[in-house]
Amino acid sequence: MKSILVALPMIVGLTLSAGETFNLKASCSGTTVQWTDLSNYDEEHTNAPGSDDLVFIPANVTVTVDDTTFGQIGSVCQIRPDSGATVVFDLAADHDLSAAVSYMTNTAATTSYTFRGMVVKRGTGVLSLGSAGLRPRSTSSCYDYAVAWTVENGCLLLPPQVGKFTGMFINSIAVSRPGIVQVRFEGQDVYLTGGLSGDGTIGHASTGRAFIDSMARSSVFSGDVTGNVRLFAREANCTLYLTGTNNASPSNARACLGGIIALQRFGYGTEDVHNSLGTQKV
């Protein structure tokens, strides 16, 4: 699949209010599109996308954002990828993303879990997610980033807490070495409807207990768990396989059972032993 290099106007501030929807033309697939060029949209607009606006990425289109273009895309209201659409953040520097990246809307019903699109994190930089306040009807949980996430390198820092809301829904997280995914605050509860996978690192950027809840019927994670992160197999029919056998994470990284958590190795004896739960004294 070819990539599209994004160039959006610099926008300051973010509110999830009623703005315009900018639908990228399907003919832009495979080209280097300038999002300030109004001819690239299916409808007529008098201005380029602004902080109240939603940018829709059609199915099977890949959008690449690098260090030079991040400031032009990072603060629109919402980036809404359709099925098969991918946003690639290839970042060597650290950046804060305030735009929501989700197919969900504030008026959507939560029972359907309409999670579409994928985000790929590449490059050695840190991508820090903000909190746009995207909460569909009849829920208090955050749906700002309800897409499938693949972290290939660098660090993905999950959103901070806003008000009393601590829960957030994500489709799935696949993190591969040397990539890192970090929760940010005590009590954060991350629900993964598509599960957790990869051989990278899941960690905690702050103190206190945080939770990663796998809701997939079956998922396999062979990476490291660091910090005070509790892993759940959330539903009764869920199984989370932790297959790592050389984990040097602290002993306070533990797993809590909801469904089934299956370990590749759990050592015994008087020495520290290694498994996907971290270093444990037994």
Side-chain angles (χ1 to χ4, degrees):
M1 183 183 294
K2 296 182 179 179
S3 296
I4 294 177
L5 188 62
V6 175
L8 284 177
M10 176 67 78
I11 303 160
V12 179
L14 176 65
T15 56
L16 281 178
S17 58
E20 294 184 82
T21 297
F22 289 73
N23 293 288
L24 192 68
K25 289 181 178 178
S27 60
C28 292
S29 182
T31 68
T32 301
V33 61
Q34 298 292 320
W35 285 17
T36 54
D37 185 348
L38 300 182
S39 67
N40 286 328
Y41 301 101
D42 286 332
E43 56 284 313
E44 293 185 0
H45 296 279
T46 57
N47 298 295
S51 59
D52 290 340
D53 299 327
L54 181 150
V55 178
F56 181 78
I57 303 173
N60 304 317
V61 170
T62 296
V63 180
T64 299
V65 182
D66 61 13
D67 291 312
T68 62
T69 59
F70 185 91
Q72 302 166 345
I73 189 176
S75 55
V76 298
C77 180
Q78 183 176 354
I79 302 167
R80 193 182 190 206
D82 204 349
S83 297
T86 302
V87 182
V88 178
F89 289 98
D90 194 350
L91 307 171
D94 299 346
H95 295 276
D96 296 327
L97 180 66
S98 57
V101 184
S102 177
Y103 188 81
M104 301 289 286
T105 66
N106 271 329
T107 58
T110 58
T111 54
S112 61
Y113 292 113
T114 310
F115 296 170
R116 299 182 182 179
M118 174 183 289
V119 176
V120 178
K121 167 63 179 70
R122 294 175 181 162
T124 57
V126 177
L127 179 61
S128 300
L129 304 182
S131 183
L134 178 56
R135 296 185 177 90
R137 187 176 65 245
S138 302
T139 183
S140 60
S141 295
C142 170
Y143 284 74
D144 288 353
Y145 304 103
V147 293
W149 286 85
T150 297
V151 180
E152 298 178 355
N153 201 350
C155 178
L156 175 68
L157 190 59
L158 297 181
Q161 183 176 4
V162 176
K164 64 180 180 179
F165 303 109
T166 60
M168 69 174 300
F169 277 83
I170 292 177
N171 186 348
S172 61
I173 291 178
V175 52
S176 56
R177 294 183 188 274
I180 300 171
V181 175
Q182 288 191 315
V183 293
R184 191 179 298 194
F185 62 89
E186 180 178 0
Q188 186 164 26
D189 211 335
V190 182
Y191 300 98
L192 304 177
T193 61
L196 173 67
S197 63
D199 61 358
T201 298
I202 298 291
H204 196 343
S206 184
T207 59
R209 186 180 302 173
F211 307 91
I212 303 290
D213 301 82
S214 179
M215 301 172 69
R217 183 174 295 275
S218 178
S219 59
V220 180
F221 179 67
S222 61
D224 299 341
V225 182
T226 66
N228 197 352
V229 178
R230 302 294 178 96
L231 299 179
F232 280 85
R234 185 70 182 183
E235 307 295 340
N237 62 347
C238 295
T239 301
L240 174 60
Y241 295 91
L242 301 179
T243 62
T245 58
N246 191 28
N247 192 319
S249 65
S251 60
N252 62 350
R254 306 178 187 276
C256 301
L257 301 182
I260 298 173
I261 291 185
L263 298 179
Q264 174 82 2
R265 175 184 177 186
F266 195 89
Y268 60 92
T270 60
E271 301 297 325
D272 287 345
V273 295
H274 298 277
N275 53 62
S276 284
L277 302 187
T279 305
Q280 308 287 329
K281 181 74 74 172
V282 296

